[in-house]
Amino acid sequence: MNESEENAGSVRLGGTGIFAGINDPDLGESFLDAARELLDGNRDRLRRFALPIFFLQRHALELALKQAINAVLAERHITKRRSGTAQGQEVPQPAEAA
């Protein structure tokens, strides 16, 4: 984030990993919090709000799964790199997502 974006109150998510943009652990929690707030304030109108609540919960789960996959891929890369350098081999860097 540059200074003008910060002064304007802009927020930019991003990263360089395969799932860039979901590296903030609070992001998934934010979707769950929004689902809880929507549910708590609209229990008498669940028929109207069930699908948006479900969408928020499903998206939080999707982000958690992507974070887990990203962690496993990072650990695999570290393990391969350690074993490759121990054997004197060059280990290629993982390709970036386009």
Side-chain angles (χ1 to χ4, degrees), residues 73-74 76-85 88-96:
L73 291 175
R76 255 179 107 191
H77 177 70
I78 290 169
T79 303
K80 280 184 179 180
R81 190 171 183 162
R82 284 183 186 153
S83 66
T85 55
Q89 300 171 352
E90 181 75 23
V91 177
Q93 295 291 325
E96 292 294 324

Side-chain angles (χ1 to χ4, degrees), residues 22-75:
I22 58 102
N23 297 325
D24 183 1
D26 294 332
L27 188 59
E29 285 295 319
S30 296
F31 280 95
L32 280 179
D33 290 343
R36 282 186 205 107
E37 288 291 323
L38 198 53
L39 177 62
D40 291 344
N42 296 289
R43 288 189 185 272
D44 56 334
R45 297 182 294 169
L46 257 170
R47 193 167 225 185
R48 179 177 178 161
F49 289 98
L51 286 177
I53 291 168
F54 176 69
F55 171 80
L56 291 166
Q57 291 172 333
R58 185 182 64 192
H59 193 57
L61 176 62
E62 177 186 346
L63 292 174
L65 289 171
K66 285 180 178 180
Q67 283 181 324
I69 291 168
N70 209 15
V72 168
L73 291 175
E75 183 61 33

